[in-house]
Amino acid sequence: MEASVDQLTVKTIRMLALDTIQKAKSGHPGLPLGAAPMGYVLFRRVMKHNPKNPRWFDRDRFILSAGHGSALLYTLLYLSGYEKMSLDELKSFRQWGSHTPGHPERCIDCGIEATTGPLGQGFAMGVGAAIAEAHLAARFNRPGFPIINHYTYALVSDGDLMEGVAQEAASLAGHLKLGKLIYLFDNNRVSLSGETSICFTENIRMHFEAYGWQVLEVKDGNNLEELVRAIQEAQKDESRPSLIMVSTHIGYGSPKQDSFEVHGSPLKPEEVVETRKFFGWPLDQDFYVPEEALNHMREIIREGEEKEKEWNNLFSSYTREFPELAQELTMLIKGELPPRWDEGLPVFDPASGDIATRSAGGKVLNALADKIPSLIGGSADLDPSTNTVLKGKGSFQAPGSCPPGTQGLVEGPLGYEGRNIAFGVREHAMGAILNGIAIHGGLIPFGATFFVFSDYMRPATRVAALSHCKVIYVWTHDSVALGEDGPTHQPVEQLMSFRAMPNLVCIRPADANETREAWKIAIERKEEPVALILTRQNVPVIDRDKYGKAEGLRKGAYIIADCAPHLPQLIIIATGSEVSLALEAYEKLSSEGVRVRVVSMPSCELFEEQPEAYRREVLPPEVKKRIAIEAGATLGWYKYVGEEGKVIGIDRFGASAPGKVVLEKLGISLENLLAQARSLLE
């Protein structure tokens, strides 16, 4: 009986996913037909989840890294009883406004943990989720109280394994010994354009074993018991992540089985008929769901509710035994910040001298880390340069893997409870892992590198923006002013390109006190990633008794120096280190009788969020003489200076020379700013 209902349910999953794709006349039928048994085993027989409460914190996480197989995921969610994933949603696959887009987009209430599609991203995000689970378990679990105790599963494809981001992440996962990370590899030997033998012939077993993974094999991907046994074997190894290589047939049961042509195109009507005949499925009923199969899958609801009830009872006992820990964990789960978290942050005095915003940022970050227990992160092997070490907060390492005294370890807890993550020189994986930590919940992740190397992170940053992930980027060495390292290390086009990315907030603070306010914004924002773009070189601490308050940063742009009550003849708009330059020009021009306003615009995105009345107040439409100055690409600034304005920027690569020399040679100087202002006024 059980075997027959198992097989009937797997057929239902296959055929329902196929109908979903055929109705849309668009999609990827190959993976759902081949990998349905894996999905069934995970959702029905292995995973701990409650469709009635998709946000239960101790649920197992599942990431469909092979996001092109989204119809499989949506079908599993519908059959499991996730209320927002109805049969009507399957019928609206790939249509406007549905919860069933072509590739999964994060929707926790739908049961979708992660936005996937760009191959390799889901693989790396799973590593981040496993890091979050390990960290929270180490900090909050106590003997007899495994409050945080769940696995991260993913279904990955050959395309995922080919992508470099997955290899970076696999290397780090093996080093960190993330034993609760289990991936099923849909090993069908076919990719979108042909057999993998034309481009991907490495020994995957040896490759992942060299990374420190346990590698298991399932010879027949249709054998449900073999799949269950392999996953159970993976669960037993607590010191290694596991890759289960599952031999499958892409497009199983269809006339195009084992052909690359079934990867990304719907079947023809006559091929659908042949597929239905193969599985003994009704030929005249679309979206047919046998009641026996549906009832069998919906048992997940009862089982999930029982498991969550057990967890709730355990947490109640935990709360009585460890009230302070329970209170802190509850705060983290809810994504709340501690009371008065922003009090007592560093205030910087001009009399103390110039300071790089990366250095100021490090001081603010450490003050925040003392108050916000959810803050965790690291850099791509650049801690000394990005100033992002959380002092005294320890190093996130597998217990016993690094002896005390190892260079680079941070004082404090040495183990999974440490809050400094050594990502190594793996910018792309770092970005995706940050996303995984964010989607797991309970933590606020940050990652740092030189701004020019944000290019390596761009795909993951885009996924973060698309997914509304609360991630903080610390991108330092923000312009050609970094100097002698030369144009390979000098960002020019990066800032404008990231400003073009929807749902990403970029902040380039002018000085140390604006940096403090920028960090506060980054901590407060809930629905998007925030990038802090900071200087390597020292910049003056602006005298806030004389000029506008740094809190003006919260509005994206504010008047920092003015000629009130008179209307200005000229407005100078500047960001970052160029604000001090603009203030020098303000003093000089004002002494000559010119009415000048200086606007610090650290964040275009925050400024655009403000009411139109405020934006017109800062940049009055009737003032046409405007100059924007920024040590980067000029594209985009014309929106703010208008047809009669000028932009001073850099539309070429930099050069290897002392930073001040490079800036001067490329026109980022007081002399050029004054010359352009006078020319404009004339």
Side-chain angles (χ1 to χ4, degrees):
M1 173 64 179
E2 188 65 27
S4 63
V5 75
D6 280 340
Q7 295 302 329
L8 175 64
T9 307
V10 172
K11 286 183 185 179
T12 303
I13 294 167
R14 281 174 160 140
M15 293 296 96
L16 197 52
L18 184 60
D19 285 345
T20 296
I21 293 165
Q22 294 305 124
K23 185 176 188 303
K25 298 182 174 61
S26 176
H28 299 67
L31 184 144
L33 288 171
M38 283 187 275
Y40 169 74
V41 163
L42 281 172
F43 274 71
R44 181 63 184 87
R45 298 180 60 177
V46 172
M47 284 186 358
K48 177 176 66 173
H49 61 124
N50 179 9
K52 291 298 183 184
N53 182 13
R55 294 179 180 269
W56 172 31
F57 196 73
D58 201 43
R59 68 190 182 275
D60 288 336
R61 271 57 169 182
F62 172 74
I63 296 173
L64 182 67
S65 189
H68 54 275
S70 59
L72 172 61
L73 176 59
Y74 303 147
T75 299
L76 289 165
L77 293 171
Y78 160 66
L79 292 173
S80 299
Y82 285 82
E83 292 178 358
K84 285 202 171 184
M85 194 56 66
S86 64
L87 193 60
D88 285 339
E89 287 291 344
L90 298 188
K91 294 176 181 179
S92 299
F93 180 54
R94 292 184 165 228
Q95 304 308 305
W96 182 271
S98 76
H99 291 307
T100 51
H103 293 80
E105 294 177 25
R106 186 179 183 226
C107 175
I108 300 301
D109 292 330
C110 303
I112 303 168
E113 300 281 2
T115 298
T116 56
L119 291 173
Q121 293 292 324
F123 187 111
M125 280 191 277
V127 175
I131 286 173
E133 193 276 343
H135 177 71
L136 292 170
R139 282 177 58 183
F140 292 101
N141 288 356
R142 293 296 182 269
F145 292 96
I147 295 300
I148 306 298
N149 183 27
H150 50 266
Y151 289 88
T152 299
Y153 298 97
L155 197 161
V156 305
S157 66
D158 42 57
D160 288 295
L161 300 190
M162 290 186 222
E163 287 286 0
V165 63
Q167 298 302 317
E168 291 179 24
S171 172
L172 185 59
H175 164 74
L176 293 173
K177 304 182 186 300
L178 299 173
K180 288 192 172 179
L181 185 67
I182 299 175
Y183 287 174
L184 281 75
F185 167 36
D186 183 22
N187 187 19
N188 57 35
R189 299 164 296 281
V190 176
S191 61
L192 186 145
S193 62
E195 294 184 32
T196 54
S197 61
I198 66 174
C199 61
F200 187 53
T201 54
E202 65 195 50
N203 188 317
I204 295 171
R205 168 180 284 278
M206 292 179 66
H207 194 153
F208 274 79
E209 286 179 343
Y211 279 149
W213 287 56
Q214 174 183 218
V215 181
L216 304 168
E217 289 191 56
V218 172
K219 299 293 186 181
D220 178 6
N222 288 317
N223 188 320
L224 303 182
E225 300 309 317
E226 194 178 350
L227 285 166
V228 171
R229 284 194 295 271
I231 295 171
Q232 291 173 340
E233 185 69 22
Q235 292 172 337
K236 292 176 184 177
D237 194 327
E238 298 179 356
S239 64
R240 289 185 296 175
S242 295
L243 181 73
I244 304 174
M245 300 173 60
V246 183
S247 295
T248 63
H249 296 276
I250 191 169
Y252 180 74
S254 76
K256 290 184 176 177
Q257 177 178 314
D258 296 327
S259 168
F260 75 93
E261 294 179 352
V262 76
H263 175 101
S265 299
L267 298 177
K268 296 175 182 177
E270 60 272 20
E271 293 169 338
V272 174
V273 171
E274 291 302 313
T275 306
R276 289 182 172 182
K277 287 180 179 179
F278 178 87
F279 288 110
W281 213 245
L283 301 181
D284 57 349
Q285 294 187 58
D286 294 339
F287 295 93
Y288 170 62
V289 181
E291 186 174 350
E292 185 181 5
L294 183 62
N295 291 339
H296 180 60
M297 284 295 286
R298 292 291 165 90
E299 277 293 302
I300 294 171
I301 296 173
R302 179 186 58 79
E303 295 170 1
E305 288 179 329
E306 288 178 358
K307 289 174 182 175
E308 183 177 357
K309 183 179 179 180
E310 291 172 5
W311 184 85
N312 287 334
N313 292 336
L314 181 66
F315 193 77
S316 294
S317 300
Y318 178 79
T319 300
R320 291 190 294 271
E321 191 78 18
F322 307 102
E324 292 183 1
L325 283 175
Q327 182 180 13
E328 182 178 329
L329 178 57
T330 299
M331 179 185 68
L332 266 60
I333 290 173
K334 291 182 177 179
E336 296 173 348
L337 295 170
R340 299 180 296 280
W341 65 271
D342 57 348
E343 292 181 4
L345 298 180
V347 176
F348 299 89
D349 188 339
S352 299
D354 298 355
I355 181 173
T357 54
R358 63 165 175 164
S359 300
K363 296 177 186 296
V364 176
L365 171 60
N366 272 275
L368 290 168
D370 287 339
K371 294 190 173 186
I372 302 175
S374 55
L375 201 56
I376 184 172
S379 76
D381 198 45
L382 289 167
D383 289 344
S385 297
T386 57
N387 289 193
T388 45
V389 168
L390 303 183
K391 297 176 182 177
K393 301 299 185 287
S395 293
F396 182 91
Q397 294 285 336
S401 61
C402 289
T406 301
Q407 293 183 56
L409 293 179
V410 181
E411 183 179 353
L414 178 55
Y416 288 147
E417 63 269 38
R419 290 165 61 187
N420 289 279
I421 302 173
F423 288 104
V425 188
R426 302 183 181 97
E427 285 90 353
H428 196 175
M430 177 175 72
I433 288 169
L434 296 176
N435 294 345
I437 296 172
I439 66 172
H440 177 277
L443 298 171
I444 301 174
F446 70 89
T449 188
F450 292 174
F451 192 26
V452 76
F453 300 135
S454 63
D455 284 346
Y456 284 139
M457 300 176 65
R458 187 177 299 272
T461 304
R462 188 176 190 274
V463 170
L466 182 60
S467 308
H468 299 272
C469 286
K470 184 179 177 65
V471 172
I472 301 171
Y473 307 112
V474 182
W475 289 332
T476 68
H477 297 57
D478 70 340
S479 75
V480 298
L482 71 89
E484 290 88 345
D485 278 341
T488 62
H489 282 52
Q490 294 171 350
V492 174
E493 74 281 12
Q494 279 74 14
L495 183 49
M496 272 300 171
S497 68
F498 278 110
R499 284 177 180 148
M501 185 178 289
N503 210 47
L504 172 67
V505 174
C506 298
I507 309 177
R508 186 175 182 240
D511 73 343
N513 288 310
E514 274 198 13
T515 303
R516 178 191 64 244
E517 298 304 313
W519 259 111
K520 288 164 66 176
I521 291 287
I523 294 294
E524 291 169 346
R525 303 287 286 200
K526 294 181 180 297
E527 295 296 328
E528 65 277 292
V530 175
L532 307 180
I533 296 125
L534 308 177
T535 69
R536 174 185 184 269
Q537 79 276 19
N538 290 339
V539 295
V541 176
I542 296 168
D543 185 349
R544 299 295 171 168
D545 292 330
K546 181 177 182 181
Y547 300 113
K549 302 300 182 184
E551 288 78 4
L553 174 140
R554 305 182 71 83
K555 294 186 175 181
Y558 65 102
I559 301 169
I560 193 169
D562 204 14
C563 55
H566 305 290
L567 196 66
Q569 296 170 273
L570 172 70
I571 297 176
I572 302 175
I573 308 168
T575 80
S577 51
E578 288 71 69
V579 173
S580 295
L581 205 60
L583 291 175
E584 288 186 60
Y586 165 83
E587 296 293 345
K588 179 65 174 174
L589 292 169
S590 296
S591 71
E592 297 172 4
V594 180
R595 300 191 306 276
V596 182
R597 170 177 294 178
V598 177
V599 172
S600 175
M601 189 180 282
S603 176
C604 300
E605 297 82 14
L606 294 178
F607 184 59
E608 294 298 331
E609 290 180 358
Q610 305 310 311
E612 183 182 358
Y614 176 78
R615 287 183 275 125
R616 292 170 69 91
E617 178 186 339
V618 173
L619 299 175
E622 58 269 35
V623 181
K624 306 294 185 183
K625 308 293 186 182
R626 304 179 185 183
I627 294 179
I629 181 168
E630 183 174 67
T634 61
L635 181 69
W637 276 117
Y638 296 95
K639 173 180 181 179
Y640 297 108
V641 302
E643 294 182 358
E644 297 182 36
K646 291 189 175 186
V647 180
I648 300 174
I650 301 172
D651 289 320
R652 51 152 285 180
F653 293 121
S656 180
K660 290 183 179 179
V661 174
V662 178
L663 288 171
E664 183 177 346
K665 294 291 186 181
L666 296 180
I668 310 298
S669 66
L670 176 61
E671 291 73 18
N672 188 40
L673 177 54
L674 289 171
Q676 296 298 327
R678 288 166 179 151
S679 172
L680 192 61
L681 290 166
E682 289 172 1

